């Protein structure tokens, strides 16, 4: 049977990808960020999952205002890298797992989560930067990746509670797949940040710390945070944190926090990383 063994929460700040791609990781500004991710990279190399379910958001690259699915599952054989304005990032194509993805869609829809099926999609920094942070810069990504795109760009975004429930349904779906596979679920984006308007640059370390603490201690409190509160307290783009709750829902009742890293500044973002293992 396939099993979800752990979850990874991580920011996806695009400037982090640019720092790697342009050889700037040793610069004083970036060095602490990459040092902070080193233990997570080692954990990933040791854990060697067969599949990553990557819960991320597209930033008007695969989807635009013509079509905005709330929850979209990537069912393709592979996902090419989007050009976000300065050429596609020089990272490997992302290999999917169409058979397992089709099973997840089947299970989720019968479980009353109305997923959008995506058979062709390019992926942007929301997906590639977390892969870079946890896997480094290999010639091929070390495992297959099933993208789960959540709309947090055009309002209304789904609630944290709905995301958590979808995570629980993903756990049921994965556990009904017979092949022996280890699966790690990523929740990406965040933490506190706002990238436009008069409050651009806003961060809220107290909000972020409480969020990190309660992922293991009291996820029910986090599922009660209404979307507007993320915006008010932690900046407009902090709404990306609902994707961390989707990851948390997929881990089952008991988790153990095995790593945490938090750092400001990285572009406009308070960078956070947490690793939770299912117990
Ligand atoms: C930044 C962060 C994001 O999550 C994003 O999608 C774009 C930009 C930033 O910090 O600049
Ligand atoms: Fe983002």
């Amino acid at each position: 049977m396939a099993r979800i063994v752990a979850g990874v929460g991580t920011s996806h700040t695009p400037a982090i990808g640019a720092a790697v791609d342009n050889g700037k990781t040793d610069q004083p500004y970036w060095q602490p960020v990459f040092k902070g991710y080193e233990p997570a990279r080692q954990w990933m190399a040791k854990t060697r999952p067969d599949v990553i379910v990557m819960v991320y958001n597209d930033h008007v690259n695969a989807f635009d205002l013509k079509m905005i699915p709330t929850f979209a599952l990537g069912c393709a054989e592979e996902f090419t890298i989007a050009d976000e304005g300065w050429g596609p990032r020089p990272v490997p194509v992302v290999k999917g797992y169409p058979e397992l993805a089709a099973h997840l869609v089947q299970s989720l829809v019968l479980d009353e989560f109305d997923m959008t099926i995506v058979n062709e999609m390019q992926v942007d920094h929301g997906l590639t930067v977390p892969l870079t942070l946890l896997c480094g810069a290999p010639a091929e990504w070390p495992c297959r990746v099933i993208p789960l795109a959540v709309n947090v760009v055009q309002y209304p975004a789904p609630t944290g509670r709905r995301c958590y429930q979808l995570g629980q349904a993903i756990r049921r779906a994965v556990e009904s797949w017979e092949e022996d596979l280890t699966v790690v679920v990523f929740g990406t984006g965040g933490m506190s940040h706002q990238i436009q308007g008069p409050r651009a640059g806003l961060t809220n370390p107290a909000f972020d710390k409480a969020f990190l603490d309660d992922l293991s201690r009291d996820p029910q409190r986090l599922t009660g945070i209404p979307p507007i509160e993320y915006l008010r307290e932690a900046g407009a783009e902090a709404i990306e944190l609902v994707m961390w709750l989707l990851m948390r829902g997929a881990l089952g009742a008991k988790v153990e926090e095995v790593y945490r890293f938090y750092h400001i500044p990285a572009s406009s973002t308070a960078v956070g990383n947490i690793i939770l293992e299912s117990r």
Side-chain angles (χ1 to χ4, degrees), residues 44-276:
M44 192 69 180
K46 187 183 75 192
T47 305
R48 295 169 53 94
D50 299 299
V51 182
I52 291 172
V53 174
M54 184 68 84
V55 183
Y56 81 110
N57 68 290
D58 177 73
H59 301 75
V60 203
N61 290 298
F63 309 118
D64 60 24
L65 292 182
K66 280 187 278 189
M67 193 175 354
I68 308 162
T70 299
F71 295 119
L73 203 77
C75 297
E77 196 80 53
E78 61 177 39
F79 304 91
T80 54
I81 310 303
D83 180 348
E84 301 186 51
W86 43 88
R89 288 193 61 213
V91 296
V93 140
V94 174
K95 304 279 190 202
Y97 196 161
E99 298 84 358
L100 178 55
H103 166 78
L104 295 183
V105 166
Q106 162 96 359
S107 174
L108 291 170
V109 171
L110 294 180
D111 215 354
E112 302 179 349
F113 289 85
D114 307 319
M115 308 302 290
T116 297
I117 298 165
V118 183
N119 290 320
E120 190 181 332
M121 178 166 75
Q122 297 203 322
V123 290
D124 72 7
H125 69 269
L127 185 140
T128 64
V129 168
L131 282 181
T132 296
L133 280 168
L134 273 288
C135 306
E140 299 286 338
W141 297 120
C143 65
R144 301 203 255 184
V145 179
I146 298 180
L148 198 178
V150 178
N151 168 42
V152 289
V153 167
Q154 173 66 35
Y155 296 101
T159 64
R161 175 169 291 118
R162 188 60 175 161
C163 288
Y164 187 85
Q165 291 166 343
L166 176 55
Q168 293 176 312
I170 285 173
R171 188 171 186 84
R172 293 190 285 274
V174 166
E175 289 182 348
S176 62
W177 180 252
E178 281 186 6
E179 191 181 357
D180 280 331
L181 294 174
T182 55
V183 179
V184 170
V185 178
F186 276 52
T188 70
M191 297 193 80
S192 56
H193 66 303
Q194 172 143 347
I195 59 177
Q196 25 67 32
R199 297 200 310 167
L202 179 148
T203 56
N204 184 340
F207 181 97
D208 291 338
K209 180 176 186 307
F211 192 93
L212 290 168
D213 288 345
D214 283 348
L215 278 172
S216 50
R217 233 172 30 194
D218 189 3
Q220 291 309 323
R221 179 187 76 80
L222 300 181
T223 63
I225 300 175
I228 193 72
E229 193 172 322
Y230 289 96
L231 275 65
R232 277 202 200 106
E233 296 297 320
E237 279 70 41
I239 188 66
E240 292 177 342
L241 285 169
V242 295
M243 297 184 288
W244 294 43
L245 288 180
L246 208 161
M247 170 275 283
R248 176 62 189 87
L251 302 182
K254 275 203 72 167
V255 297
E256 184 182 340
E257 179 180 324
V258 298
Y259 186 61
R260 178 193 294 206
F261 171 63
Y262 185 78
H263 175 81
I264 296 173
S267 187
S268 306
T269 319
V271 162
N273 174 217
I274 199 164
I275 300 178
L276 303 169

Side-chain angles (χ1 to χ4, degrees), residues 11-65:
S11 304
H12 62 214
T13 321
I16 292 175
V20 173
D21 301 343
N22 296 299
K24 295 184 176 172
T25 56
D26 286 334
Q27 290 188 353
Y29 182 86
W30 289 113
Q31 203 270 342
V33 174
F34 293 101
K35 185 164 179 287
Y37 271 86
E38 188 53 42
R41 212 169 11 258
Q42 286 168 11
W43 177 89
M44 192 69 180
K46 187 183 75 192
T47 305
R48 295 169 53 94
D50 299 299
V51 182
I52 291 172
V53 174
M54 184 68 84
V55 183
Y56 81 110
N57 68 290
D58 177 73
H59 301 75
V60 203
N61 290 298
F63 309 118
D64 60 24
L65 292 182

